Amino acid sequence: MLKKQVIISACLLGENCRYDAQTKVNKEILHKYKDYEIIPFCPEAPLFGTPRQRISVIEINGKNRIITNETNEDVTQKLQDEINSFIIKYPQVKEIVLKSKSPSCGLGTTPVLDEDKFFLKYGNGIAAEIFLKQFHYTNIRDEIN
Ligand code: SF4
């Protein structure tokens, strides 16, 4: 029998793909999905390498943009392209588990900053935002929700 598929943020699975080359393994998640086919997901590491400078969600003219912390580069489009090319490979996935607080993966837990980089509110990372639009019938959760 085919296993159910779940997309999980790769750093929760033990991959050292975070900006600081560390991981954030979540044993509870690993245990919960032990009988699933796990599909690791990380849009940042393939694009920007590991380690890399941090990125942030910045609200500019009412829209969220993803900006690098040190060089102030707008990398929104690059991330959108990377995430969209991942999504088309997995149209049938019914569960997604995302790393909290991340500018890419966070679901309602990501700090959104104003243009002066002061905290504005909590919102979604760019991948969570795209997943919510593309996977209408899928259970999408943040690791802490
Ligand atoms: S939170 Fe998402 S983008 Fe950041 S390292 Fe983990 S999987 Fe990659």
Side-chain angles (χ1 to χ4, degrees):
M1 201 173 79
L2 280 181
K3 287 182 175 179
K4 281 199 255 179
Q5 293 182 319
V6 58
I7 292 170
I8 302 181
S9 293
C11 55
L12 298 177
L13 300 171
E15 291 191 22
N16 292 80
C17 53
R18 281 167 53 88
Y19 72 95
D20 56 2
Q22 298 298 306
T23 183
K24 278 283 179 181
V25 67
N26 184 324
K27 289 188 178 156
E28 241 176 73
I29 299 283
L30 286 176
H31 181 71
K32 178 163 184 193
Y33 292 98
K34 65 181 172 7
D35 296 327
Y36 283 62
E37 179 192 342
I38 292 176
I39 302 160
F41 167 72
C42 178
E44 293 181 28
L47 279 177
F48 310 124
T50 304
R52 57 186 173 274
Q53 64 174 306
R54 298 186 81 158
I55 57 177
S56 298
V57 181
I58 312 273
E59 188 177 288
I60 300 174
N61 297 327
K63 296 220 160 118
N64 285 356
R65 307 297 299 178
I66 310 295
I67 310 289
T68 59
N69 284 14
E70 289 158 34
T71 54
N72 278 320
E73 185 192 351
D74 187 330
V75 292
T76 312
Q77 188 64 53
K78 283 183 189 167
L79 279 161
Q80 281 172 342
D81 292 347
E82 178 74 19
I83 295 158
N84 284 326
S85 64
F86 173 86
I87 279 177
I88 53 174
K89 292 187 265 179
Y90 303 104
Q92 307 298 337
V93 169
K94 292 284 178 274
E95 302 230 19
I96 300 176
V97 184
L98 295 168
K99 169 78 183 71
S100 66
K101 301 178 187 163
S102 155
S104 292
C105 293
L107 181 66
T109 56
T110 300
V112 178
L113 310 181
D114 67 17
E115 291 186 54
D116 295 319
K117 301 195 174 171
F118 288 109
F119 177 82
L120 205 53
K121 60 191 174 188
Y122 288 105
N124 297 327
I126 185 168
E129 199 63 40
I130 293 173
F131 285 163
L132 286 170
K133 286 191 187 125
Q134 299 289 333
F135 288 95
H136 298 292
Y137 304 106
T138 298
N139 177 23
I140 305 175
R141 54 171 291 224
D142 189 280
E143 59 166 328
I144 61 174
N145 292 332

